[in-house]
Amino acid sequence: MSSLECDVLIIGGGIAGLSLASALAPFSSVVLVEAEPTLGYHTSSRSARQLIPSYGPEPVLDLTRRTLELLGGVQSSTGLPLTVPRSFLLIGSEAEVDARASAAMHRLTHAQALDLCPQLRPEAFAAAAIDTDCVGTDTDLLLEYHRRSASDDGVIILTGALVTEARYDGSAWSVRAGYRPITAGVVVDAAGAWADGVATLCGVAPQGLVPHRRTAAIVAAANAPRAGSPMVAAADESFYYRPDADGVLISPAESEPAEAGDAQPHPGDVERLIERLGAVTTLGITAVHRSWTGLRTQRDSTVPVVGFDPGHPGFFWLAGQGGYGFQTSSGIAELAAVLLTGADPADLGAAPDRVGAAAAALRPA
């Protein structure tokens, strides 16, 4: 089989890889490979589908704001309903809310919080804060937008193409993905929970990226919140819930280190969560429609890793997004496109100061 040739080979077909492919395609020849038979199979298909500008460390907050700007532009130009307003309500003790609420949130009285979310039991919380700039997002539609945009600009996308070999001769990579040989100038590691493994295969030192479990379920509830109600999260990170088209989305919000793989809920996790929610809400959960577990991969610094590896000029990191993948996706793709092309940020529509600050904060160790 003849070899494909490209400027950039992206390994990973989740939101990170697809966002970069669509951003980079007008400027470089790109091939994207995904080991699974479908795109967005793992973490990207198991998202809470909420973009929260007040969630995460400062570099993440800035990338989230930029992502919302870029998605707003796409939505305006295409008419695609990529986002809808959906506030984020944080509840807990006074001390817990003070510790977790960011400067972008504002405090609510107890009565105001109950008026917004009448399913909360009054005795279950003492304080509340809200972020009204949050949006929900249609993750399937966003993934498809990036796939179509990338394909329309010439990106070759291969699924069922596990990378099994990768060698660098000082100027180009020789890679085997599935049965296809590929020659590329740069390899981008957007492999999510498998990112350190891909790096090792490529002869590059890992970044200490660790996958963490996060379980969720869609349930039926006798007293479900109305459409448009806020997402409600406990400040002690013991649960969150929000309205969903198919019922109510609930999560124990756990963050447990795990092995890379097709994660599944532990026995009893969802049942214990339902019991917990019964103590703090009047949702009245009656059935579980479906449940799943995703892997949120991060390094110790809790910020993503984006940039050329300091010990390997042909290897580019695009990993460690943790729970911030969708909410930072367009901002990170813009940053990565600037770094990969070496272009003036302004030529790609990016602010030089913002790009410089993000590149410094997210650079590989």
Side-chain angles (χ1 to χ4, degrees):
M1 184 177 292
S2 62
S3 175
L4 288 173
E5 296 185 4
C6 60
D7 298 323
V8 178
L9 170 63
I10 300 172
I11 302 174
I15 185 60
L18 285 169
S19 297
L20 176 60
S22 66
L24 194 58
F27 312 100
S28 304
S29 60
V30 179
V31 174
L32 182 147
V33 297
E34 165 57 44
E36 299 293 349
T38 58
L39 297 170
Y41 178 82
H42 288 285
T43 300
S44 293
S45 68
R46 309 177 194 193
S47 168
R49 304 189 293 279
Q50 182 90 0
L51 311 187
I52 307 173
S54 57
Y55 177 52
E58 186 54 43
V60 167
L61 300 184
D62 188 62
L63 287 163
T64 301
R65 290 188 287 267
R66 180 56 177 161
T67 295
L68 290 172
E69 291 174 4
L70 292 168
L71 291 182
V74 171
Q75 195 157 283
S76 296
S77 63
T78 64
L80 292 173
L82 297 175
T83 64
V84 294
R86 184 165 62 221
S87 297
F88 175 74
L89 183 71
L90 191 68
I91 62 167
S93 69
E94 290 284 353
E96 289 167 342
V97 171
D98 280 344
R100 287 292 310 281
S102 77
M105 305 182 81
H106 63 270
R107 292 292 292 264
L108 296 180
T109 66
H110 195 261
Q112 288 171 326
L114 289 173
D115 185 55
L116 278 175
C117 302
Q119 291 79 16
L120 288 169
R121 295 187 186 275
E123 68 276 14
F125 70 103
I130 194 166
D131 184 340
T132 56
D133 292 328
C134 296
V135 298
T137 184
D138 186 328
T139 54
D140 292 339
L141 186 61
L142 183 55
L143 287 166
E144 174 58 18
Y145 164 75
H146 286 305
R147 185 204 65 78
R148 182 178 294 275
S149 176
S151 295
D152 287 349
D153 279 331
V155 174
I156 296 171
I157 297 175
L158 304 177
T159 56
L162 175 68
V163 174
T164 56
E165 299 176 21
R167 298 185 308 277
Y168 188 67
D169 66 6
S171 61
W173 288 93
S174 297
V175 175
R176 180 165 293 274
Y179 295 105
R180 183 62 70 95
I182 302 170
T183 301
V186 175
V187 161
V188 174
D189 185 356
W194 290 264
D196 267 357
V198 166
T200 300
L201 178 67
C202 293
V204 175
Q207 288 286 313
L209 295 164
V210 178
H212 290 72
R213 295 171 54 83
R214 176 63 57 89
T215 299
I218 300 294
V219 300
N223 186 26
R226 67 182 184 277
S229 295
M231 178 176 178
V232 178
D236 66 1
E237 298 188 82
S238 61
F239 69 83
Y240 63 75
Y241 71 87
R242 66 163 179 79
D244 185 86
D246 297 324
V248 183
L249 184 147
I250 64 173
S251 173
E254 84 276 30
S255 183
E256 301 173 1
E259 296 294 325
D262 190 2
Q264 300 296 324
H266 288 323
D269 278 359
V270 174
E271 291 76 12
R272 284 188 289 272
L273 171 60
I274 290 172
E275 183 177 354
R276 165 74 168 141
L277 289 172
V280 298
T281 76
T282 60
L283 287 169
I285 295 170
T286 57
V288 178
H289 293 319
R290 63 184 185 275
S291 61
W292 65 90
T293 298
L295 295 177
R296 303 147 56 93
T297 301
Q298 62 188 50
R299 52 179 176 167
D300 287 344
S301 66
T302 72
V303 297
V305 53
V306 180
F308 283 101
D309 188 89
H312 203 304
F315 189 90
F316 190 95
W317 289 92
L318 185 69
Q321 290 88 345
Y324 316 120
F326 275 96
Q327 74 176 50
T328 61
S329 56
S330 295
I332 283 181
E334 179 183 68
L335 166 65
V338 170
L339 297 177
L340 283 161
T341 61
D344 186 317
D347 292 340
L348 274 66
D353 289 348
R354 170 181 273 153
V355 166
L362 275 56
R363 67 164 54 101

